Amino acid sequence: MRERRPTLDVSFDGVEVEAFAGESVLQCARRHQIEIPSLCYLEGLSVWGGCRVCVVEVAEDPRPRPACATPVTADMEVTTHSPRLKEYRKAIVELLFAEGNHVCAVCVSNGNCELQDVAVSVGMDHVRYESRSPLRLIDASHPKYLFDPNRCILCTRCVRVCDEIEGAHVWDVGSRGRHAVLTTDLNRPWGESSSCTWCGKCVAVCPTGSLSYQGSAVGEMQHQPDMIARLATARREGEWIDPEEFS
Amino acid sequence: MDESCGKCTPCRAGTVQMHALLDKITSGDGTSRDVRDLENLCAVVRDTSLCGLGQAAPNPVLSTLHYFKSEYDDLIGRTSDVSTGSEASDMSTGSEASDVSTGSEVSNA
């Protein structure tokens, strides 16, 4: 049963709204249909705060803050869209596109991709940075699913959902920095994993075409992050919550 | 760049691009657009990185852009492809900076 939580007042771009004590700036904004783009955040999973797309400005704080990882405070004044934030978000998404090998035209998630959606919403129409063109090998060893690290943005939703919701902890991030890469078990092919339960939650939450169903053609992959959000929240709250509350 | 943990996008991906832009500029292949992109990228990495590593990494680059702008101007030579407006340097460098080797001649071809 959801308890009544103490509330406090915060403002988004000058508009005052009611916030629950303990929730994040992003959660509060989403509840009030105030748009703040994000990629690594997924309701129901622990906060990662790594993509930095959800950065907002908080009055009297000189540094932009990630909305997903910043708790609301009394009388907080948040700016969700400023010229500076727009430029920063656009640059961050461009960095993601230049970092991997994102070829939408041949991707299973073309048209159903959160990275594409965020790129559109932040006004990205080209990538100013040179593509790094890293060599990243596909893992097609799993009978049911395909992992293409060229499309991975290291949001770690798969890592978190497998660890926190399924409990198998198949996924981890190996190496570090620009060489960071998703690994399964002890860096073995996914198909050889002794912990994977084939539940598909990782595929369901992936925001790009990195994780998909084997045999998907271009544009065919439909992810289901909201289903996982509802599942995870139901487990935590002890009741099914209307998924519209988090989209 | 190589010390980045890899968690946040601006540091993981941004420092790599900063390095690439610096390489391009110092090798003589840079344009005024590259210098502008480098400057903007430094701000992104400084202001959106998750930890002090990314936040501080652009500092040396920003220092050189601030105090040695004329060297950047020399390096981008005549291959300007973007109108930079008023770029008159008002910084007196004091020392003779003419020892800097720009490597290959900038080609107009």
Side-chain angles (χ1 to χ4, degrees), chain A residues 48-52 55 63-64 84 88 91-92 95-96 98-99 128-130 132 153-154 176-178 180, chain B residues 1-10 12-14 16-17 20 37 41 43-44 46-50 55:
Chain A
W48 177 242
C51 73
R52 313 309 279 183
V55 280
R63 193 175 284 288
R84 178 171 76 148
Y88 285 177
I92 287 166
L95 285 171
L96 286 170
E99 184 182 39
R128 80 193 91 164
Y129 308 114
E130 226 172 74
R132 305 320 309 159
I153 58 171
L154 289 166
R176 68 174 163 91
R178 60 200 164 118
Chain B
M1 170 175 78
D2 289 327
E3 291 302 318
S4 173
C5 80
K7 176 166 178 174
C8 76
T9 311
R12 183 187 71 236
V16 171
Q17 295 293 355
D37 286 347
L41 183 57
V44 176
R46 181 196 60 203
D47 291 347
T48 63
S49 283
L50 192 149
Q55 288 162 9

Side-chain angles (χ1 to χ4, degrees), chain A residues 184-226:
Chain A
T184 45
D185 281 8
L186 295 176
N187 199 17
R188 303 299 310 142
W190 194 1
E192 291 176 20
S193 169
S194 51
S195 38
C196 178
T197 64
W198 297 32
C199 73
K201 292 185 181 63
C202 56
V203 180
V205 300
C206 180
T208 68
S210 181
L211 292 169
S212 62
Y213 298 123
Q214 290 269 22
S216 298
V218 174
E220 269 189 359
M221 189 59 213
Q222 302 271 0
H223 296 278
Q224 299 161 294
D226 292 339

Side-chain angles (χ1 to χ4, degrees), chain B residues 8 21 24-25 49-50 54-55 64 73 79 92 96:
Chain B
C8 76
L21 282 167
K24 195 179 175 207
I25 291 164
S49 283
L50 192 149
Q55 288 162 9
T64 61
D73 292 336
T79 58
S92 161
E96 302 304 304

Side-chain angles (χ1 to χ4, degrees), chain A residues 6-201:
Chain A
T7 63
L8 40 93
D9 293 325
V10 303
S11 72
F12 287 93
D13 306 307
V15 178
E16 212 173 75
V17 300
E18 189 182 73
F20 290 128
E23 71 176 347
S24 69
V25 171
L26 186 65
Q27 285 172 321
C28 182
R30 296 258 159 104
R31 278 194 308 106
H32 294 282
Q33 280 85 50
I34 294 165
E35 192 244 339
I36 301 177
S38 70
L39 279 170
C40 69
Y41 178 75
L42 188 62
E43 180 72 34
L45 303 182
S46 62
V47 171
W48 177 242
C51 73
R52 313 309 279 183
V53 169
C54 71
V55 280
V56 292
E57 286 163 357
V58 180
E60 286 155 42
D61 190 336
R63 193 175 284 288
R65 296 291 168 197
C68 68
T70 305
V72 294
T73 55
D75 303 319
M76 194 182 211
E77 290 168 33
V78 180
T79 303
T80 64
H81 288 81
S82 70
R84 178 171 76 148
L85 288 175
K86 286 180 187 170
E87 282 310 306
Y88 285 177
R89 290 188 190 130
K90 193 150 55 111
I92 287 166
V93 181
E94 289 179 43
L95 285 171
L96 286 170
F97 272 93
E99 184 182 39
N101 294 305
H102 295 273
V103 187
C104 299
V106 298
C107 180
V108 294
S109 283
N110 192 12
N112 318 302
C113 173
E114 289 185 56
L115 182 62
Q116 282 182 331
D117 292 344
V118 169
V120 167
S121 81
V122 301
M124 181 188 111
D125 55 14
H126 73 287
V127 181
R128 80 193 91 164
Y129 308 114
E130 226 172 74
S131 184
R132 305 320 309 159
S133 299
L135 178 67
R136 295 179 178 178
L137 304 179
I138 291 172
D139 183 347
S141 60
H142 198 289
K144 210 170 161 194
Y145 310 119
L146 184 74
F147 170 46
D148 185 351
N150 293 290
R151 303 162 179 165
C152 177
I153 58 171
L154 289 166
C155 73
T156 71
R157 278 189 191 175
C158 55
V159 179
R160 286 174 279 148
V161 79
C162 187
D163 175 57
E164 295 163 19
I165 309 302
E166 181 64 7
H169 199 118
V170 174
W171 294 101
D172 277 304
V173 179
S175 196
R176 68 174 163 91
R178 60 200 164 118
H179 303 296
V181 66
L182 263 302
T183 58
T184 45
D185 281 8
L186 295 176
N187 199 17
R188 303 299 310 142
W190 194 1
E192 291 176 20
S193 169
S194 51
S195 38
C196 178
T197 64
W198 297 32
C199 73
K201 292 185 181 63

